[in-house]
Amino acid sequence: MRDMHCHILPGVDDGARNITESCQMLFAARQAGVTEVVCTPHCRDPYFDFDRMWQAYYELKQHARDVSVRMGFEVNHTKLMELGMDWADRLHFEGSNEFLLELSSRCTRDDFQTYERTIFELQGRGFEVIIAHPERYRAIQKDPSIAEDLVRMGCRLQASADFVAGGRLGKEKRPAKRLFARGLYSYIASDAHRVQHYDYLERAVRLYGRDLEG
Ligand SMILES: [Fe+2]
């Protein structure tokens, strides 16, 4: 099983604080059935430092034995706009055209006009756009048909496993269940920031993950 969204790199964002914690997370991931990890540090303020994140990745890679690791980013939409679209070439998953895009948790329906333009542009540049944790976005919580529109546009949707315990912001469980009921998710990922979050991944995959890719 691939875990395509986690904050396992040491000391670069609000995830693992050092290499010891990163290694503990790798162990927990393996125990939860993960065989491949895509490391996706936050590409947003105040964390984003491209070179430092790659250094942290190489450090972790030296310690990864039973789990294969790849580099990626969780790219915040606002940050992508600030950096410029040419940065997309440096922010997709290593070795694939997958691009993990994070929207604003406080988004409104109107914001999706801008988001859709960005998604079309990314797709036009050859990227497969994966929307991180749609269950966390206010507009989708109010109206799940927005998630259907995203899937119709060709996006893949990724659930963050902590929804089983309510989610990072505490309101994600019900919207996630609604999106699962409509068959809209392609992936479940840990979005792990620490070891305990792999328990959620195990639970979420057991409850909802049998037919999902990833
Ligand atoms: Fe994340």
Side-chain angles (χ1 to χ4, degrees):
M1 174 171 66
R2 175 170 71 150
D3 183 14
M4 58 147 57
H5 178 172
C6 64
H7 300 273
I8 198 166
L9 293 185
V12 295
D13 62 10
D14 55 349
R17 285 173 295 188
N18 50 52
I19 191 66
T20 305
E21 286 188 6
S22 298
C23 290
Q24 289 166 346
M25 286 173 71
L26 266 185
F27 184 77
R30 189 71 196 88
Q31 296 292 105
V34 173
T35 51
E36 182 187 354
V37 167
V38 186
C39 308
T40 53
H42 285 294
C43 174
R44 68 166 158 87
D45 297 329
Y47 305 114
F48 184 59
D49 184 329
F50 185 78
D51 293 336
R52 204 164 143 244
M53 287 171 169
W54 270 95
Q55 280 168 19
Y57 167 67
Y58 287 126
E59 187 183 0
L60 180 67
K61 204 173 168 69
Q62 287 178 352
H63 291 81
R65 306 250 183 280
D66 324 328
V67 182
S68 79
V69 293
R70 275 206 284 164
M71 186 54 172
F73 291 89
E74 179 184 11
V75 184
N76 177 268
H77 185 269
T78 304
K79 188 70 185 175
L80 180 61
M81 295 299 95
E82 181 192 314
L83 292 168
M85 289 299 277
D86 286 343
W87 265 83
D89 291 335
R90 306 168 78 182
L91 297 172
H92 60 92
F93 290 1
E94 182 187 10
S96 87
N97 65 343
E98 295 161 292
F99 191 98
L100 183 63
L101 183 65
E102 179 192 43
L103 310 178
S104 165
S105 54
R106 291 188 295 270
C107 59
T108 64
R109 179 174 255 294
D110 289 348
D111 292 328
F112 278 81
Q113 288 180 8
T114 310
Y115 295 154
E116 286 183 10
R117 274 200 299 276
T118 302
I119 290 163
F120 278 133
E121 182 160 357
L122 287 168
Q123 290 171 332
R125 289 172 178 242
F127 296 109
E128 177 167 271
V129 179
I130 301 166
I131 305 293
H133 40 62
E135 69 277 3
R136 200 179 292 177
Y137 306 140
R138 192 179 289 168
I140 293 179
Q141 291 175 343
K142 282 187 185 161
D143 181 2
S145 74
I146 296 173
E148 278 173 356
D149 293 342
L150 291 171
V151 171
R152 255 196 299 274
M153 288 174 67
C155 295
R156 304 289 193 122
L157 306 188
Q158 172 257 305
S160 285
D162 60 2
F163 77 85
V164 293
R168 194 158 171 82
L169 305 179
K171 291 182 179 164
E172 287 99 303
K173 191 169 187 175
R174 188 188 296 187
K177 284 171 102 170
R178 290 166 81 183
L179 300 193
F180 273 110
R182 293 179 186 213
L184 296 175
Y185 286 115
S186 292
Y187 308 109
I188 299 176
S190 74
D191 198 357
H193 287 64
R194 54 188 148 273
V195 163
Q196 292 74 17
H197 294 163
Y198 283 99
D199 295 341
Y200 299 144
L201 181 64
E202 249 184 313
R203 255 166 77 193
V205 168
R206 191 162 11 96
L207 291 169
Y208 298 94
R210 276 183 297 273
D211 300 321
L212 293 179
E213 307 161 45

